[in-house]
Amino acid sequence: MKRFLTAAAAATGFVVLTASAALAQDAQRGNELFQENGCWTCHATEGQGGRGPNIAPGPLPYAAFAAYVRMPALEMPPYSLVLLSDADLLDIHAYLVSIPELMDPDDTILADH
């Protein structure tokens, strides 16, 4: 699936950005946009999935993410530039990148009291 999305991004001419470039965007605004645009209804409030797939932590690279959001292959509605600008999409991706990995409960150290 990731290989298809990367190929789709290349075919559509999306600019490839590194994770560090996406982090330069506004993750807090991306969170607000994620909520306002209803992304949470399928991907839950932190991208951990539900009706839709997990998209965070560790989202697709921006180019593949953008290609899929603009022209999804499954049940997700397409988000054109009219609905979601490239700047907004960059902020949403920055939000997803900012979500930390979940801690493994087995790695949790509890202090004895």
Side-chain angles (χ1 to χ4, degrees):
M1 179 74 147
K2 284 188 178 184
R3 189 180 341 200
F4 167 76
L5 294 174
T6 303
T12 58
F14 283 99
V15 175
V16 176
L17 296 176
T18 64
S20 61
L23 284 175
Q25 302 302 311
D26 189 341
Q28 181 177 348
R29 184 170 179 276
N31 180 7
E32 294 166 5
L33 291 164
F34 191 83
Q35 308 312 318
E36 290 171 11
N37 286 283
C39 306
W40 65 272
T41 61
C42 294
H43 302 289
T45 57
E46 293 187 345
Q48 68 270 30
R51 185 171 153 229
N54 292 355
I55 56 174
L60 292 170
Y62 177 74
F65 172 77
Y68 195 83
V69 169
R70 298 290 187 217
M71 297 184 312
L74 301 174
E75 294 179 28
M76 182 174 143
Y79 285 81
S80 69
L81 282 168
V82 173
L83 297 173
L84 198 61
S85 72
D86 285 337
D88 289 348
L89 195 55
L90 277 164
D91 287 344
I92 290 171
H93 189 263
Y95 165 63
L96 296 173
V97 168
S98 77
I99 296 171
E101 295 285 333
L102 296 175
M103 289 184 63
D104 184 340
D106 293 336
D107 292 341
T108 304
I109 300 173
L110 300 174
D112 293 330
H113 292 283

